[in-house]
Amino acid sequence: MTTLMVMNLYVNAQTNAQTLAPDYKGSDCNNPISANIFCADPTALEYNGRMYVYGSNDHQQFVATGKNKGNDYGQIKSIVVFSTDDMVNWTFHGTIDTKRLCSSWVTNPWYVGYGVSWAPSVTWRHNESTDKDEFFLYFCNSSHGVGVLTAESPIGPWKSPNKQLMITYDTPGANKAGTNANFDPGVVIDDNGVGWITFGGLGPSEIMPEAARIVKLKPSMTEVDGTAVKIHAPYHFEANELNVIGGKYVYTYCSNWAERKDSVWNAYKSEHGITASKPNTCTMCYMVSDDPTNPNSWVYKGIYGPHPGMGTNNNHSHLQKFQGKYYHLYHGASLMENWIKEGVISEDCKIYRSLCVNEAKVNETTATISQVTPNLEGVKQIKNLNPYELQQAETMANCSGVDYEDFTNIKRNTKINSLGNDASENMQINMKAGSWINVRKIDFGTNGAEKFILRAKGTGTIELRFSRAGRPAATFEFSSTEMEDHTFEIDASRFKGVKNNFFVAFTTADNVYIDAWQFIEFDTSGISEINNSQITKTQSYDLFGRRLSDSNNHHGIVIEQYQDANGNKHSRKHMR
């Protein structure tokens, strides 16, 4: 089957009820956001109460090289998608298969069609004329240019509106072949509804490489409008991103490795009338402008993202506002280092990066960003998880021994996968003996839960725990050859209040796949109703728990919740 073979990260295939797979992320760590998928170069958007994060698919490279070689980025041909509504529990949505979507790109004189997809940047808008939401995802095709994909939802389906790259060496004002690169796009739609995109990088290792560019986009957001102009960014190297804060354009980028001479920097400060200190190498810097097409309007403000360390020799970040707060998304390599340290992968596996997030302090009045402190602790959870809503199995804060698959694209006996399936609402996870998933701050309320529903197939023994190594609060056995709801009675006195950690763990497992899970709250009324009909009540939800009305214009997979004749609640997925 088309299982996204992430990594079987448990020590012994044969385990007992007290032995689970090791924790390589850490129970006190919220970084990185994924404990089993390598991804980098983050970008993000806020949509319908969720933050969607997209990144370069380092894991595709990891699998393609046999999990024993370094990352040269040449096999990254898809984009990873995650989302969250609490900043700690993340839902994996699969990947966007850019290789398939862009395979028909025509040959340019300087390059042959599609090659790779690195460093995405994303934005969205509501189109009043069509009354539709529109999403635009840009990425660089190696160093040669920038392509764009479009969709009507944050997870697709995506398509390529153009027959080639949107930005090339032939784009007016762009960097020319043989000198600097046209890569690492950064997009924003300003307060007037106008789209802008920054790009460019490399160049000479000096204070002013003159490789940064910005250009206006046409209303379609899929073509440039006019000529790209320079941003005179000191020590510029790569990793361009763009925001609008307090009506000002805020451009962020990664600094280069040029020698920092005090005399050179002091001359720059004097010329531009600024007081900021010179940036260290490989740090995230930012500039501010009121007039993005005027190269001389951009003012250097300083560093906001230091080099994260964490085992990587590069830096790339995105600044995202979500639920009223700003967050600094970036990549490090702590997961790779932990796997090497524990002997899971060889020391030859270098520069496999993971996405991280820390809170950022932004003054919107002055468009000033305080310097962020990257760490593995990460951010605080901004809301508790509701166990009485259907939760996708791919939603987790931590895990070990877990693989993913898209159940609409199953092939038998596939031993490895390139992690290149399309982003999908149809994900499920494969669990083996010793594997586990962990969600954080789950709120059972004062009544507690009396039932646990697991939508799964296969044969296994499952334990519900409140710490990975702790005694199980409940243990169940199940077996089925088809994906179906398994309902278990539980002791409500054990499942009350807020549990900081909740683990779904398997001590035995044979061909087990999990689609979703849900608790049923204890009914304190003690009243049981007799229902003669087979299904007494139905209600549809999207995959994030939002209730859908009959008139809701929702297309794709929906969750239908219903009661059977005995009053038991069930759920199932179907197309709408």
Side-chain angles (χ1 to χ4, degrees):
M1 56 189 58
T2 307
T3 300
L4 301 189
M5 298 292 288
V6 177
M7 179 65 73
N8 297 332
L9 297 177
Y10 38 86
V11 177
N12 299 311
Q14 300 298 322
T15 116
N16 57 50
Q18 299 302 318
T19 304
L20 295 181
D23 181 356
Y24 296 101
K25 176 175 174 177
S27 59
D28 296 327
C29 297
N30 291 326
N31 280 330
I33 68 172
S34 174
N36 59 350
I37 298 175
F38 294 126
C39 45
D41 307 325
T43 186
L45 58 81
E46 179 175 0
Y47 181 71
N48 282 357
R50 296 188 71 84
M51 181 192 289
Y52 290 83
V53 175
Y54 308 75
S56 302
N57 192 355
D58 277 19
H59 211 93
Q60 188 171 21
Q61 178 81 33
F62 176 66
V63 173
T65 57
K67 306 176 183 177
N68 57 15
K69 296 180 181 179
N71 188 359
D72 66 7
Y73 317 118
Q75 299 302 315
I76 298 177
K77 301 177 186 292
S78 57
I79 294 169
V80 177
V81 187
F82 290 93
S83 76
T84 184
D85 66 354
D86 63 23
M87 298 304 299
V88 169
N89 297 300
W90 293 85
T91 302
F92 173 57
H93 294 287
T95 62
I96 302 170
D97 189 353
T98 50
K99 180 180 179 180
R100 177 182 62 82
L101 294 171
C102 306
S103 62
S104 62
W105 279 0
V106 299
T107 300
N108 295 303
W110 46 267
Y111 194 66
V112 180
Y114 171 85
V116 293
S117 50
W118 301 342
S121 185
V122 68
T123 191
W124 76 280
R125 69 184 178 191
H126 181 73
N127 190 320
E128 296 293 345
S129 62
T130 62
D131 197 30
K132 291 182 178 180
D133 294 335
E134 299 175 333
F135 296 80
F136 305 92
L137 184 66
Y138 305 83
F139 64 91
C140 60
N141 191 26
S142 181
S143 62
H144 297 276
V146 175
V148 59
L149 302 175
T150 60
E152 293 183 6
S153 95
I155 59 173
W158 295 88
K159 63 181 180 180
S160 174
N162 300 331
K163 296 184 180 298
Q164 62 179 21
L165 291 169
M166 185 184 78
I167 294 174
T168 71
Y169 290 122
D170 299 323
T171 298
N175 292 303
K176 298 304 178 184
T179 57
N180 302 336
N182 295 311
F183 69 171
D184 286 12
V187 68
V188 75
I189 297 175
D190 68 19
D191 297 337
N192 298 314
V194 177
W196 301 87
I197 193 165
T198 54
F199 62 95
L202 304 182
S205 185
E206 57 189 38
I207 187 173
M208 199 56 65
E210 297 287 30
R213 299 289 188 274
I214 185 169
V215 67
K216 184 180 177 181
L217 295 174
K218 290 184 178 180
S220 67
M221 297 289 291
T222 60
E223 297 178 87
V224 301
D225 186 3
T227 300
V229 298
K230 293 180 180 180
I231 299 176
H232 300 307
Y235 299 112
H236 173 265
F237 186 64
E238 61 181 2
N240 314 284
E241 271 286 13
L242 199 58
N243 289 78
V244 173
I245 300 175
K248 297 181 181 295
Y249 299 85
V250 179
Y251 167 62
T252 62
Y253 64 94
C254 178
S255 64
N256 63 17
W257 280 260
E259 181 183 0
R260 268 61 163 171
K261 293 182 178 180
D262 288 340
S263 60
V264 174
W265 184 250
N266 288 336
Y268 177 85
K269 289 200 303 180
S270 177
E271 179 184 357
H272 295 276
I274 63 173
T275 60
S277 300
K278 61 179 179 290
N280 296 327
T281 59
C282 200
T283 54
M284 297 305 303
C285 308
Y286 75 107
M287 303 184 76
V288 174
S289 171
D290 293 315
D291 181 6
T293 59
N294 179 359
N296 297 318
S297 70
W298 291 93
V299 177
Y300 178 80
K301 303 288 284 187
I303 297 171
Y304 87 96
H307 189 289
M310 301 184 188
T312 181
N313 64 355
N314 53 37
N315 205 348
H316 196 120
S317 74
H318 174 69
L319 188 68
Q320 180 63 44
K321 188 176 183 180
F322 177 66
Q323 302 292 301
K325 289 185 176 182
Y326 281 91
Y327 295 93
H328 171 62
L329 294 109
Y330 60 98
H331 63 235
S334 60
L335 183 64
M336 177 199 74
E337 289 189 321
N338 286 343
W339 285 5
I340 292 174
K341 180 181 178 181
E342 298 299 326
V344 176
I345 57 178
S346 75
E347 292 185 355
D348 295 326
C349 292
K350 297 296 185 182
I351 322 179
Y352 288 104
R353 302 158 295 178
S354 297
L355 297 186
C356 301
V357 58
N358 284 92
E359 190 172 341
K361 299 296 184 182
V362 177
N363 185 321
E364 293 186 333
T365 302
T366 61
T368 301
I369 312 169
S370 299
Q371 186 165 314
V372 178
T373 302
N375 56 49
L376 295 179
E377 180 182 357
V379 300
K380 294 182 179 179
Q381 192 166 334
I382 62 174
K383 60 180 289 190
N384 293 334
L385 184 139
N386 184 355
Y388 304 122
E389 293 180 351
L390 190 73
Q391 300 294 336
Q392 296 300 300
E394 314 86 63
T395 299
M396 60 188 77
N398 198 359
C399 70
S400 194
V402 172
D403 299 329
Y404 303 88
E405 72 174 24
D406 180 335
F407 63 70
T408 63
N409 186 24
I410 295 176
K411 297 178 182 177
R412 296 292 179 187
N413 302 320
T414 300
K415 294 183 178 179
I416 64 170
N417 186 280
S418 63
L419 239 177
N421 285 2
D422 287 345
S424 175
E425 295 179 323
N426 307 318
M427 301 299 294
Q428 59 189 23
I429 62 175
N430 177 214
M431 310 255 322
K432 300 176 178 63
S435 60
W436 50 268
I437 62 173
N438 163 225
V439 296
R440 295 183 177 162
K441 289 193 176 179
I442 181 170
D443 189 356
F444 289 101
T446 57
N447 294 339
E450 63 178 355
K451 294 180 182 179
F452 176 68
I453 301 174
L454 183 74
R455 183 161 180 76
K457 70 176 180 179
T459 300
T461 302
I462 184 175
E463 293 182 352
L464 308 185
R465 302 184 179 196
F466 299 125
S467 67
R468 185 179 64 86
R471 295 177 63 85
T475 302
F476 314 110
E477 294 182 355
F478 70 93
S479 182
S480 63
T481 57
E482 300 294 333
M483 184 67 72
E484 62 184 18
D485 290 341
H486 302 273
T487 302
F488 306 102
E489 303 286 337
I490 57 177
D491 182 352
S493 66
R494 295 185 178 184
F495 293 84
K496 281 186 176 183
V498 177
K499 304 298 183 182
N500 288 331
N501 283 285
F502 170 70
F503 292 81
V504 178
F506 277 81
T507 54
T508 65
D510 181 15
N511 202 31
V512 168
Y513 297 90
I514 304 178
D515 179 26
W517 57 267
Q518 183 177 17
F519 285 86
I520 303 300
E521 190 171 10
F522 179 69
D523 184 0
T524 58
S525 70
I527 299 175
S528 298
E529 295 183 3
I530 299 176
N531 298 295
N532 296 320
S533 58
Q534 187 66 27
I535 297 178
T536 61
K537 182 180 181 181
T538 63
Q539 178 62 59
S540 295
Y541 299 83
D542 67 15
L543 290 176
F544 307 119
R546 295 185 293 266
R547 180 175 292 184
L548 302 174
S549 64
D550 293 338
S551 60
N552 189 282
N553 187 24
H554 180 90
H555 301 288
I557 300 293
V558 300
I559 304 297
E560 184 180 72
Q561 295 187 347
Y562 63 94
Q563 288 184 342
D564 63 20
N566 296 317
N568 296 320
K569 293 183 179 180
H570 302 270
S571 63
R572 59 191 176 195
K573 289 182 178 178
H574 66 91
M575 293 296 296
R576 176 167 167 173

